Amino acid sequence: MSHQSGISVSDELAKTFAEAVSGDQVRFIRVSIVNEVLEADGVENVKGNWEEDFDRVQAFLPDKTPTYIFYRLDPGAEVQASAPLPGESPSETSSAASWILLCYVPDGAKIRDKMIYASTRATLKREWGESGLREVVYGTTKEEFSLEGYRLHLKHQKAEAPLTQRERDLAEVKAAETQSASYTPQGTQAKKTYAAGVAFPLSDDAKSALEGLSKTESSGRNNYVSLAIDVKKEEIYLDKATNVSPSDLSKSVPADSPRFTFYTSGAHQDSTERPAVLFIYTCPLGSKIKERMVYSSAKAVVCSVAADEIGLRIVRKLETSDPHDLTADHISNEMGPTEPAQPLLGSKPGFKRPAAPGRRARTPNS
């Protein structure tokens, strides 16, 4: 919290402010503390445009004494040094605030003067009316208040603030989810553009393993296919393809990192139709933050490609944070007789979580 110095604005300065704001002749006003009062000790009129006049400011800056400069920008000047207020566009901000406050405090100034000018700034802004100031610019050298110095200040203001790794991850996933939501399968031969962390292409091994699940004959067919994402290679690769019994499924799914698992038990199945496939998305609570976000944003695309491009008959889609939820009884219930499922994108009710131990497993129709 800042402390105010108790120094007030003189009547003459208040009058100068009012005349400058209501007219269009004044380019800038120098304000200094004189005998414990804020006074206007220099007024310069407009000669050229705001850029041409800016370098005149340096001549009004003392070598070792702080001072304030109220500088007028031309109406409609295309200067955007700070973000607009909520609900305002840059053009609205520009027309509503045509003045900036330059606060000059040289390094060689006395400590007492530095403290007094710093604590008086709030009083000065309040007297002027903060809504009438586009921004406040601080500097310790005369060069910072040249036109070149001010442009450098504007460049820094516009520069994107550095992001933390977590913020970069969130931004990446947000863009990924947007791409995922608008993804439309185009056939295995169609050319696609993939966003990092979302619609990564499936490796040839992953596609072959999924195609194997769609065989109507059970001989030589695996019933368990696990896929994982290699973010660095920008690819969804085959983690494992094997045969797993319902009782061993919970032990086969990794418990330390996310996976996309496609599983068919062979039970309750008509041998003349494609196998009924269960799509399981597991994301353990101990997974890395970026892993959890990337897998979450990619699951819809992975399931859609498997159903619409590979041709799997996905009848259920499950999601869990604990592979131990995938009990034999629960899998048996999920793989029971059901209507053929629609692709994940646009389907209802979509993903559902396995029932907690001891509770009856729910189906979309229960």
Side-chain angles (χ1 to χ4, degrees), residues 261-282:
T261 302
F262 295 83
Y263 183 75
T264 176
S265 69
H268 309 297
Q269 193 163 295
D270 185 337
S271 61
T272 63
E273 66 178 353
R274 290 174 299 161
V277 177
L278 187 67
F279 176 75
I280 307 169
Y281 165 53
T282 51

Side-chain angles (χ1 to χ4, degrees), residues 86-355:
E88 292 183 329
S89 68
S91 61
E92 290 171 336
T93 303
S94 177
S95 63
S98 59
W99 291 80
I100 59 175
L101 173 59
L102 311 178
C103 296
Y104 169 69
V105 182
D107 291 330
K110 297 178 181 178
I111 294 178
R112 179 177 181 277
D113 287 344
K114 290 181 178 180
M115 295 177 61
I116 291 177
Y117 272 81
S119 60
T120 305
R121 187 171 58 245
T123 299
L124 187 62
K125 290 167 61 179
R126 185 173 62 250
E127 180 66 28
W128 178 275
E130 292 193 52
S131 61
L133 286 175
R134 176 174 295 184
E135 67 168 336
V136 179
V137 182
Y138 304 92
T140 59
T141 67
K142 295 182 181 181
E143 289 72 21
E144 290 176 275
F145 296 106
S146 64
L147 179 58
E148 182 180 352
Y150 183 57
R151 283 176 173 165
L152 182 60
H153 163 77
L154 295 176
K155 183 178 179 180
H156 289 166
Q157 287 288 93
K158 293 179 180 179
E160 181 178 355
L163 300 177
T164 64
Q165 183 61 48
R166 179 179 176 82
E167 289 171 332
R168 286 194 294 270
D169 292 344
L170 289 172
E172 177 181 312
V173 172
K174 184 176 181 180
E177 289 177 334
T178 300
Q179 171 102 4
S180 174
S182 61
Y183 176 84
T184 301
Q186 303 173 25
T188 56
Q189 301 303 316
K191 182 178 180 181
K192 304 179 185 66
T193 300
Y194 295 97
V198 178
F200 290 148
L202 273 66
S203 68
D204 291 339
D205 287 346
K207 289 181 179 179
S208 296
L210 292 177
E211 289 168 355
L213 287 179
S214 63
K215 295 180 180 179
T216 56
E217 66 277 7
S218 60
S219 176
R221 171 169 57 83
N222 293 319
N223 72 341
Y224 173 97
V225 172
S226 173
L227 304 182
I229 296 178
D230 187 326
V231 178
K232 291 184 178 180
K233 293 184 178 180
E234 299 189 351
E235 183 181 64
I236 297 174
Y237 66 92
L238 176 64
D239 175 49
K240 183 185 294 184
T242 186
N243 281 290
V244 175
S245 67
S247 60
D248 290 332
L249 181 60
S250 62
K251 294 180 289 185
S252 301
V253 177
D256 58 351
S257 60
R259 285 295 186 276
F260 301 125
T261 302
F262 295 83
Y263 183 75
T264 176
S265 69
H268 309 297
Q269 193 163 295
D270 185 337
S271 61
T272 63
E273 66 178 353
R274 290 174 299 161
V277 177
L278 187 67
F279 176 75
I280 307 169
Y281 165 53
T282 51
C283 186
L285 296 177
S287 305
K288 297 178 181 178
I289 294 176
K290 185 172 183 179
E291 271 189 331
R292 295 168 65 181
M293 294 189 295
V294 171
Y295 273 82
S296 177
S297 65
K299 64 187 177 185
V301 174
V302 171
C303 192
S304 180
V305 170
D308 297 335
E309 297 188 19
I310 305 298
L312 295 186
R313 187 168 69 91
I314 299 175
V315 296
R316 289 287 186 270
K317 308 170 190 77
L318 303 179
E319 177 179 335
T320 183
S321 59
D322 186 356
H324 291 96
D325 290 338
L326 303 173
T327 64
D329 287 343
H330 184 68
I331 296 303
S332 179
N333 288 333
E334 293 298 332
M335 299 298 292
T338 183
E339 294 296 322
Q342 298 296 319
L344 177 61
L345 294 185
S347 65
K348 294 183 180 181
F351 283 86
K352 65 187 185 64
R353 301 179 185 278

